């Protein structure tokens, strides 16, 4: 049986199968040009629709330009609209063809039909061809004086388009003066709004270079202009009202009576159905009364009801925008909103981003009178199916407790969370209990009694485990099993990925040793041995510090590591008051939504010259790398992923493998000789401590450890592997980006910078020049103190072309003197050796 014949896939009827169909369109349009036969207009419509559909899907039909222009001589407004759309699309790409449209567009600007006049003028201004600006001035000037309001509106916007094409032509033709005169005298509100919009943008852009334009911009904020616009505000559309209100918010009244006049005039705008108008009105009220404390507080009371009404109506997106502004006001004056806390309860239909914002506001408005109700509500959310909201609700309860409101009841609530036996609830609760104990040590007996029942095996999250370990060390005298729990955690040291937990474990076991030495001496020896052998620099340094401190004098070590502690009175705010004031100054803008000043996400020098995600993004390249210094290339990306320090990424990565430093740590052996303190100790703890480290086998003359703290004998530096790099390696950004996306991460580690290196790192270019001296090239860099980000590459010597490359992402934080390094390699087996070379080069940075 013969196989079925496969039917050929035909192109859809709306797309041409080749140049032949476009040529056929050209022939048909040419035949219809100037035709007055019956039905010709209908045929033109069908052909025009087909041309526009091709153009819309991206097919080049610019070859039909002449025919489309010839067929535009018609009174059919639909045909003219399609022709104008076609002309506007291809004029900028084919400026030579755009010249063909000038005659018929200028002719249509004088048509009897005001709709055609307006459409023709809009199309003429939309050509955006600099060589044709001379043809725009006359029609624009005529349009501003047209008898029809639609044409005047188009002409007002057209003047702004002319300014963007040729600023000098617009200014020399006195269009700003004409716009202002039209704005102050035109009876149509749409024309006034269009003139105001164009005039504001022109004077703002021109005011940076012209003193005269700057003065004109100031005149827009004069009392006659402001009062003229305010008296007509009810005539304007919602968009135009927002435009006027934004201008009014910048106006500075000469006396208090003006402030009250303006607020009385805008009172009814607070009941407007559009949230943008309401927020713009509130912005005016807040800025006008900022220097009048009593009136400002009354304004808060007045605007509360409109905002709460808007939150409960409209879409979730609108609610979030309004809630963000309400959140800002709540943070500035929480006491004024304390009685309205029920408006911030979460509804089951609220999306998570709205719920999270409401939880923050509930935390802010909590006080002595409403804490019980708020905490009761938040406790219900702890069982929410949305894990994110459950976590946030537990944190909110903890924040309220730290504000000293009804602490007794809140502590009981938190301890009840530990009985829910949900991993994420237990994790968040442990972190909060730790903070509570730092502020309220008197609650230690109640808290420790419950925390002691939590199994460390059921706590997986690093922050929660670190909090549990901290409590085991801090209150080991009250927890019978503390030494044994710590010992079990030390036994699984190699399985612990988080450096934060390992650091806390070192400190906790040392504190426990001071309080219960006989039970902890074995665990301490094991912890110090494991810490000294740890690849993470911070863990190694802390273990080495504790080891030498104990070796010097145990009593001194206790005073340093476990001194008497005072309760924490205030926890640091995540956002400074200066930043909050800056955001308030930018009320009714994206700054409130993003909760950061506009310069943080607009100005590149503050945002950073690039934002990388895991895939590198587009690299803007300049010169190719050669033997000279490779300039740092700027990289732009769509997401706002700011530079992170190594500590911020530590939680999301595994234990680093460090091949550059091989420390010879004291090995743990239960039958080894004792380490004796250098000075006599008067306390029982000290005498016990003399044998505490007997579990660590240490033959002092044979110890080989880096003398990072300057407390021990000099050691021989670890030899650098004999990996040689290509001195003339070249890698273009596109290949770098492709390799970075394809290769797996071979190695991740943290490196230290010397004090001289940190002082020398004033700009990215300093470090990249230094690394080039070590045959490691930089393909992209950026940032500003304390965070810098670099992408380096190097190639193995004598490697084939396109092979043997090492790619590095390096995040440098000068505050911590650390560099977080991520290495990808064509030959993963050589990544350890390359990492050693890379760290060696970093350690030499800044050292003469």
């Amino acid at each position: 049986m013969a196989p079925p014949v496969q039917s050929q896939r035909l192109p859809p009827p709306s797309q041409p199968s080749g140049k032949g169909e476009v040529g056929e369109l050209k022939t048909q349009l040419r035949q219809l040009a100037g035709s007055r036969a019956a039905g010709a207009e209908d045929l033109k419509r069908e052909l025009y629709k087909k041309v526009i559909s091709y153009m819309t899907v991206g097919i080049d039909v610019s070859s039909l330009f002449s025919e489309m222009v010839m067929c535009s001589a018609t009174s059919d407004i639909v045909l003219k609209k399609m022709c104008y759309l076609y002309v506007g699309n291809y004029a900028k790409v084919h400026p030579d063809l755009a010249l063909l449209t000038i005659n018929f567009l200028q002719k249509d600007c004088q048509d009897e039909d005001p709709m055609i006049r307006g459409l023709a003028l809009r199309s003429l201004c939309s050509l955006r061809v600099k060589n044709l600006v001379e043809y725009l001035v006359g029609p624009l000037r005529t349009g501003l004086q047209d008898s029809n309001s639609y044409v005047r509106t188009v002409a007002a916007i057209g003047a702004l388009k002319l300014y963007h094409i040729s600023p000098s032509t617009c200014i020399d033709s006195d269009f700003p003066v004409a716009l202002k005169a039209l704005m102050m005298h035109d009876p149509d509100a749409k024309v006034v709004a269009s003139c105001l919009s164009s005039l504001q943008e022109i004077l703002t852009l021109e005011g940076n270079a012209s003193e005269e334009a700057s003065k004109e911009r100031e005149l827009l904020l004069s009392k006659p202009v402001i009062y003229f616009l305010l008296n007509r505000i009810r005539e304007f559309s919602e968009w135009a009202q927002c435009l006027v209100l934004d201008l009014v918010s910048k106006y500075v009244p000469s006396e208090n009576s003006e402030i009250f006049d303006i607020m009385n005039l805008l009172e009814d705008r607070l009941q407007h159905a559009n949230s943008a108008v309401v927020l713009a009105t509130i912005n005016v009220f807040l800025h006008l009364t900022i220097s009048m404390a009593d009136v400002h507080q009354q304004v808060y009371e007045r605007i509360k009801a409109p905002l709460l009404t808007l939150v409960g109506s409209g879409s979730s997106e609108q609610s979030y925008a309004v809630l963000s502004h309400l959140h800002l006001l709540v943070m500035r004056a929480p006491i004024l909103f304390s009685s309205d806390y029920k408006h911030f309860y979460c509804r089951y239909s609220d999306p998570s981003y709205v719920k999270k914002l409401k939880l923050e506001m509930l935390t802010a408005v909590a006080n002595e009178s409403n804490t019980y109700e708020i905490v009761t509500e938040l406790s219900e959310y702890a069982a929410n199916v949305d894990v994110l909201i459950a976590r946030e609700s537990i944190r909110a309860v903890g924040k309220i407790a730290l504000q000293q409101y009804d602490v007794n009841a809140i502590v009981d609530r938190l301890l009840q969370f530990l009985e829910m036996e949900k991993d994420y609830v237990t994790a968040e609760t442990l972190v909060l209990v730790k903070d509570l104990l730092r502020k309220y040590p008197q609650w230690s007996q109640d808290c420790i009694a419950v925390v002691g029942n939590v199994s460390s095996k059921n706590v997986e999250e690093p922050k929660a485990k670190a909090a549990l370990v901290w409590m085991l060390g801090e209150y080991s005298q009250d927890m019978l099993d503390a030494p044994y729990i710590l010992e079990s955690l030390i036994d699984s040291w190699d399985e612990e990925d988080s450096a934060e937990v390992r650091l806390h474990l070192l400190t906790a076991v040392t504190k426990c040793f001071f309080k219960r030495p006989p039970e902890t001496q074995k665990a301490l020896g094991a912890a110090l041995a494991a810490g000294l052998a740890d690849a993470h620099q911070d863990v190694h340094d802390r273990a080495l510090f504790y080891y030498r401190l104990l070796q010097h004098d145990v009593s001194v070590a206790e005073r340093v590591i476990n001194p008497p502690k005072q309760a924490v009175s205030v926890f640091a705010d995540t956002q400074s008051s200066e930043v909050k004031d800056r955001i308030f100054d930018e009320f009714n803008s994206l700054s409130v939504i993003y909760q950061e000043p506009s310069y943080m996400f607009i100005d590149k020098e503050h945002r950073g010259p690039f934002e990388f995600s895991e895939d590198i993004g587009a690299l803007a390249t300049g010169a190719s790398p050669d033997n000279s210094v490779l300039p740092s290339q700027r990289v732009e990306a769509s997401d706002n992923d700011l530079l992170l320090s190594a500590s911020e990424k530590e939680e999301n990565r595994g234990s680093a493998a460090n091949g550059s430093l091989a420390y010879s740590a004291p090995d743990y052996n239960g039958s080894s000789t004792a380490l004796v303190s250098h000075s006599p100790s008067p306390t029982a703890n000290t005498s016990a401590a003399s044998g505490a480290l007997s579990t660590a086998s240490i033959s002092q003359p044979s110890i080989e450890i880096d003398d990072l703290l300057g407390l021990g004998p000099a050691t021989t530096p670890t030899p650098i592997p004999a990996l040689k790099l290509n001195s003339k390696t070249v890698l273009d950004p596109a290949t770098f980006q492709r390799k970075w996306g394809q290769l797996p991460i071979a190695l991740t580690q943290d490196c230290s910078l010397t004090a001289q290196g940190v002082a020398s790192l004033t700009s990215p270019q300093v470090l990249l020049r230094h690394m080039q001296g070590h045959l490691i090239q930089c393909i992209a860099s950026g940032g500003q103190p304390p965070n810098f980000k670099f992408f380096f590459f190097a190639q193995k010597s004598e490697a084939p072309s396109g092979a043997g490359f090492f790619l590095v992402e390096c995040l440098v934080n000068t505050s911590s003197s650390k560099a977080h390094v991520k290495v990808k390699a064509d030959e993963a087996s050589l990544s350890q050796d390359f990492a050693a070379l890379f760290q060696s080069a970093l350690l030499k940075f800044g050292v003469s």
Side-chain angles (χ1 to χ4, degrees):
M1 182 177 177
V5 179
Q6 295 183 354
S7 59
Q8 294 183 347
R9 185 177 180 181
L10 299 175
S14 61
Q15 296 186 12
S17 57
K19 293 184 178 179
E21 190 163 345
V22 177
E24 185 179 345
L25 280 173
K26 177 182 282 193
T27 303
Q28 292 176 349
L29 286 169
R30 186 168 293 176
Q31 290 173 353
L32 290 174
S35 174
R36 298 183 179 276
E41 297 295 315
D42 293 335
L43 289 175
K44 284 184 183 179
R45 280 196 182 190
E46 293 302 319
L47 293 175
Y48 269 40
K49 287 179 182 178
K50 192 174 290 188
V51 171
I52 297 299
S53 67
Y54 292 167
M55 183 181 74
T56 303
V57 297
I59 298 170
D60 185 13
V61 287
S62 59
S63 58
L64 305 176
F65 205 99
S66 302
E67 287 71 19
M68 292 287 287
V69 173
M70 285 190 291
C71 288
S72 64
T74 176
S75 58
D76 189 339
I77 193 169
V78 176
L79 282 175
K80 284 190 176 293
K81 282 184 177 180
M82 288 191 285
C83 183
Y84 295 154
L85 179 62
Y86 174 88
V87 168
N89 185 67
Y90 285 111
K92 192 173 182 180
V93 183
H94 302 282
D96 51 335
L97 297 177
L99 188 60
L100 301 175
T101 66
I102 294 297
N103 288 333
F104 90 86
L105 285 176
Q106 285 185 326
K107 182 180 178 182
D108 286 349
C109 285
Q110 300 172 359
D111 196 275
E112 294 181 357
D113 189 341
M115 183 63 68
I116 292 179
R117 293 202 303 271
L119 289 172
L121 183 58
R122 187 178 68 178
S123 300
L124 190 61
C125 296
S126 298
L127 295 179
R128 300 186 185 278
V129 179
K130 196 166 185 177
N131 295 334
L132 303 180
V133 292
E134 57 184 296
Y135 300 103
L136 304 184
V137 176
L140 272 178
R141 186 173 284 115
T142 304
L144 290 174
Q145 300 170 357
D146 198 278
S147 58
N148 186 272
S149 61
Y150 171 69
V151 180
R152 296 198 300 274
T153 302
V154 171
I157 300 299
L160 178 59
K161 294 180 180 179
L162 174 62
Y163 179 83
H164 284 295
I165 301 171
S166 177
S168 58
T169 304
C170 180
I171 301 299
D172 294 343
S173 302
D174 292 331
F175 278 114
V177 177
L179 287 173
K180 186 175 181 181
L182 185 62
M183 179 184 73
M184 299 300 293
H185 297 96
D186 199 288
D188 191 274
K190 291 182 180 179
V191 177
V192 174
S194 299
C195 289
L196 177 60
S197 177
S198 298
L199 197 57
Q200 272 191 295
E201 187 166 345
I202 291 173
L203 294 180
T204 299
L205 295 173
E206 190 67 18
N208 298 326
S210 170
E211 186 177 349
E212 184 179 351
S214 180
K215 291 179 179 178
E216 287 293 329
R217 184 175 57 184
E218 293 176 2
L219 289 176
L220 272 182
L221 295 172
S222 63
K223 183 176 179 179
V225 175
I226 295 297
Y227 274 54
F228 168 78
L229 295 172
L230 286 175
N231 286 325
R232 298 189 61 179
I233 194 166
R234 292 174 181 81
E235 304 173 22
F236 294 132
S237 65
E238 294 167 344
W239 169 80
Q241 288 184 41
C242 292
L243 191 67
V244 172
L245 290 169
D246 180 63
L247 184 68
V248 175
S249 68
K250 301 171 186 175
Y251 173 62
V252 181
S254 57
E255 51 188 20
N256 291 344
S257 60
E258 285 188 50
I259 296 177
F260 294 110
D261 289 342
I262 293 173
M263 290 196 294
N264 289 332
L265 191 61
L266 296 176
E267 175 74 16
D268 62 332
R269 297 298 93 188
L270 291 175
Q271 278 79 43
H272 202 283
N274 187 285
S275 58
V277 175
V278 175
L279 288 175
T281 306
I282 291 173
N283 185 39
V284 173
F285 281 33
L286 292 173
H287 282 86
L288 287 178
T289 61
I290 192 69
S291 59
M292 305 165 65
D294 294 339
V295 180
H296 196 67
Q297 183 173 339
Q298 293 175 19
V299 166
Y300 272 78
E301 293 287 354
R302 178 64 187 86
I303 65 179
K304 196 164 53 171
L307 285 174
L308 292 174
T309 302
L310 286 174
V311 168
S313 59
S315 63
S316 299
E317 292 78 10
Q318 175 182 310
S319 295
Y320 181 77
V322 177
L323 266 176
S324 297
H325 289 79
L326 192 55
H327 174 266
L328 177 63
L329 300 177
V330 167
M331 293 302 171
R332 288 178 66 88
I335 191 171
L336 297 178
F337 295 88
S338 59
S339 60
D340 303 290
Y341 63 91
K342 290 186 179 180
H343 287 89
F344 308 137
Y345 282 178
C346 297
R347 297 183 296 185
Y348 74 94
S349 58
D350 287 338
S352 57
Y353 54 85
V354 172
K355 289 180 179 178
K356 184 177 179 182
L357 203 55
K358 286 184 174 181
L359 291 176
E360 293 180 14
M361 297 167 74
L362 283 172
T363 306
V365 300
N367 58 23
E368 292 86 347
S369 62
N370 59 23
T371 295
Y372 179 79
E373 290 81 2
I374 290 177
V375 171
T376 301
E377 181 73 13
L378 291 174
S379 299
E380 296 294 327
Y381 303 155
N384 198 296
V385 293
D386 189 337
V387 176
L388 173 64
I389 299 305
R391 287 178 180 272
E392 290 293 336
S393 64
I394 297 171
R395 292 172 193 162
V397 172
K399 289 177 183 177
I400 294 174
L402 294 176
Q403 295 171 0
Q404 299 180 339
Y405 299 134
D406 197 10
V407 180
N408 299 349
I410 296 177
V411 170
D412 291 339
R413 297 268 188 182
L414 283 175
L415 296 180
Q416 289 174 11
F417 291 155
L418 293 175
E419 300 172 1
M420 293 179 65
E421 297 183 353
K422 291 185 178 180
D423 294 344
Y424 58 89
V425 174
T426 301
E428 292 295 337
T429 305
L430 285 173
V431 175
L432 289 174
V433 169
K434 182 198 74 171
D435 290 340
L436 281 174
L437 290 177
R438 291 174 64 196
K439 187 166 185 177
Y440 310 114
Q442 65 270 24
W443 286 94
S444 61
Q445 295 295 333
D446 295 329
C447 293
I448 295 306
V450 179
V451 171
N453 297 325
V454 177
S455 173
S456 61
K457 296 179 181 179
N458 297 331
V459 183
E460 297 294 336
E461 296 184 22
K463 287 186 178 181
K465 187 177 287 188
L468 178 61
V469 169
W470 179 87
M471 287 184 278
L472 288 170
E474 196 70 27
Y475 298 97
S476 55
Q477 73 277 10
D478 300 324
M479 303 174 71
L480 295 178
D481 296 334
Y484 312 107
I485 298 174
L486 290 172
E487 186 174 1
S488 66
L489 290 171
I490 293 169
D491 290 341
S492 58
W493 182 282
D494 294 336
E495 300 173 9
E496 182 54 60
D497 294 332
S498 172
E500 180 184 7
V501 175
R502 302 200 298 273
L503 287 167
H504 276 80
L505 197 53
L506 274 173
T507 304
V509 74
T510 309
K511 289 180 178 179
C512 187
F513 165 72
F514 293 135
K515 299 167 185 175
R516 300 168 66 174
E519 300 167 272
T520 317
Q521 67 174 27
K522 181 180 177 181
L524 179 59
L528 288 176
L532 286 166
D534 200 288
H536 193 279
Q537 192 74 49
D538 290 342
V539 178
H540 170 270
D541 288 355
R542 183 172 295 189
L544 180 60
F545 175 65
Y546 287 176
Y547 164 63
R548 286 184 174 156
L549 197 56
L550 290 164
Q551 186 182 31
H552 173 68
D553 191 314
V554 176
S555 60
V556 172
E558 182 174 8
R559 292 199 301 271
V560 172
I561 300 172
N562 191 36
K565 293 181 177 61
Q566 296 181 350
V568 178
S569 58
V570 179
F571 286 84
D573 195 353
T574 56
Q575 202 173 57
S576 68
S577 58
E578 182 181 351
V579 171
K580 291 178 181 177
D581 291 341
R582 181 69 178 267
I583 296 174
F584 179 77
D585 291 339
E586 297 173 357
F587 193 88
N588 195 29
S589 70
L590 282 177
S591 297
V592 181
I593 306 295
Y594 293 158
Q595 296 187 15
E596 59 183 17
S598 59
Y599 68 82
M600 295 295 293
F601 55 88
I602 291 178
D603 298 342
K604 288 185 179 179
E605 59 266 25
H606 293 96
R607 187 180 60 198
F610 56 79
E611 291 83 32
F612 277 107
S613 56
E614 177 61 29
D615 52 346
I616 298 178
L619 291 174
T621 60
S624 302
D626 51 22
N627 292 335
S628 62
V629 175
L630 176 66
S632 168
Q633 309 297 348
R634 291 193 168 223
V635 181
E636 301 290 342
S638 59
D639 58 335
N640 192 22
D641 180 24
L642 298 178
L643 299 175
L644 302 177
S645 65
S647 61
E648 292 170 310
K649 287 197 172 182
E650 178 60 36
E651 187 175 321
N652 299 324
R653 66 182 185 87
S655 178
N658 189 337
S660 61
L661 296 174
Y663 297 108
S664 178
D667 295 327
Y668 169 69
N669 188 329
S671 61
S672 302
T673 58
L675 173 67
V676 182
S677 174
H678 288 320
S679 59
S681 175
T683 63
N685 276 354
T686 306
S687 60
S690 299
L693 296 178
S694 62
T695 57
S697 173
I698 304 170
S699 177
Q700 193 166 350
S702 63
I703 295 175
E704 293 185 2
I705 49 180
D706 283 358
D707 187 20
L708 299 179
L709 303 178
L711 297 176
T715 60
T716 305
T718 305
I720 301 299
L723 174 66
K724 294 184 178 180
L725 300 178
N726 186 356
S727 61
K728 298 183 178 180
T729 181
V730 175
L731 185 66
D732 63 273
T735 306
F736 185 100
Q737 182 176 351
R738 177 176 54 79
K739 281 181 171 288
W740 186 266
Q742 293 174 351
L743 293 174
I745 298 174
L747 184 145
T748 304
Q749 69 178 20
D750 285 341
C751 308
S752 294
L753 273 73
T754 63
Q756 299 94 321
V758 172
S760 302
L761 189 54
T762 55
S763 66
Q765 286 71 23
V766 181
L767 180 59
L768 69 88
R769 291 191 183 95
H770 167 78
M771 299 303 284
Q772 284 173 342
H774 293 268
L775 307 183
I776 299 173
Q777 307 294 333
C778 178
I779 199 166
S781 67
Q784 60 181 6
N787 293 315
F788 294 94
K789 191 169 187 177
F790 302 87
F791 280 87
F792 294 105
F793 69 92
Q795 186 181 28
K796 187 179 71 171
S797 180
E798 300 179 359
S801 177
F805 278 102
F806 303 96
L807 312 181
V808 181
E809 179 192 69
C810 180
L811 302 174
V812 179
N813 184 275
T814 55
S815 298
S816 60
S817 301
K818 299 292 181 184
H820 180 65
V821 178
K822 188 185 296 181
V823 179
K824 297 186 179 185
D826 286 333
E827 300 178 42
S829 59
L830 296 176
S831 58
Q832 290 279 1
D833 292 342
F834 175 75
L837 285 175
F838 190 88
Q839 183 166 6
S840 174
L842 278 181
L843 288 173
K844 294 176 183 177
F845 176 56
V847 180
S848 56

